[in-house]
Amino acid sequence: FGTSSMSGFLGIEVTEVGPDYIVATMPVNEKNVQPFGILHGGASVALAETLGSVASTLCIENPATHTAVGVEVNANHLKSIPAGQQVTATCRPLRIGRQMHVWQIELCNAQGELTCVSRLTVMVVERKGQKEKN
C-alpha cells in the first residue's frame, strides 16, 4: 500500500486490522525528525491521516465509484519520541456515515505512552467519470 507515496517514504506499515480499529507503525528516523532529533509533528499528522484514510477506504460501499478524501485533520502533540524508536498508531471510528467519516487516531511510543491524539474528518466523494449505473 502506497510504497511510492508519502506513506512508503515514511515507512508506514499497517500491522493489524480489526472489526473497529486499524493499527500502523512508523519508524522514527532521519526522514521524519525535526532538527532536535525528535519526531516531527507533521510526520505524526501524516501517519494519522494515512491511517484514517485507509480505514475510510475499507468502509466505502463501492470503491470503484467512490473515494475517501480528508477534509480536516488536527493533532495534539503530548510527548516527544526520539529518533531510533517506533511510533504505533491506532485508529478508531467516531462516526461512519454514507458521506462522512470521523476518526480518532492515537499515537504511542515504544513504552505504550500516548504521544499524540488526532482527529480526521473524511468525505466520501464520487470518483470523476465513475457515476454509478442503476
Side-chain angles (χ1 to χ4, degrees), residues 73-128:
V73 62
N74 66 48
N76 294 101
H77 305 287
L78 309 172
K79 188 174 183 130
S80 63
I81 302 178
Q85 291 194 17
Q86 177 173 279
V87 59
T88 300
T90 303
C91 177
R92 295 187 186 280
L94 295 175
R95 181 180 196 284
I96 300 175
R98 280 191 45 158
Q99 296 179 320
M100 181 180 289
H101 302 165
V102 181
W103 302 97
Q104 178 160 306
I105 305 97
E106 294 183 349
L107 283 63
C108 293
N109 62 18
Q111 293 74 38
E113 300 167 319
L114 188 63
T115 60
C116 177
V117 63
S118 180
R119 188 182 66 238
L120 172 67
T121 303
V122 175
M123 292 296 295
V124 177
V125 298
E126 189 174 20
R127 290 181 182 265
K128 299 270 185 201

Side-chain angles (χ1 to χ4, degrees), residues 28-29 32-40 80-85:
V28 180
N29 57 32
N32 57 19
V33 295
Q34 57 172 259
F36 302 112
I38 59 174
L39 181 62
H40 192 288
S80 63
I81 302 178
Q85 291 194 17

Side-chain angles (χ1 to χ4, degrees), residues 6-7 10 12 26 40-53 73 75 77 107 118:
M6 181 183 286
S7 58
L10 293 175
I12 297 170
M26 180 176 72
H40 192 288
S44 294
V45 173
L47 172 58
E49 185 161 0
T50 297
L51 196 52
S53 295
V73 62
H77 305 287
L107 283 63
S118 180

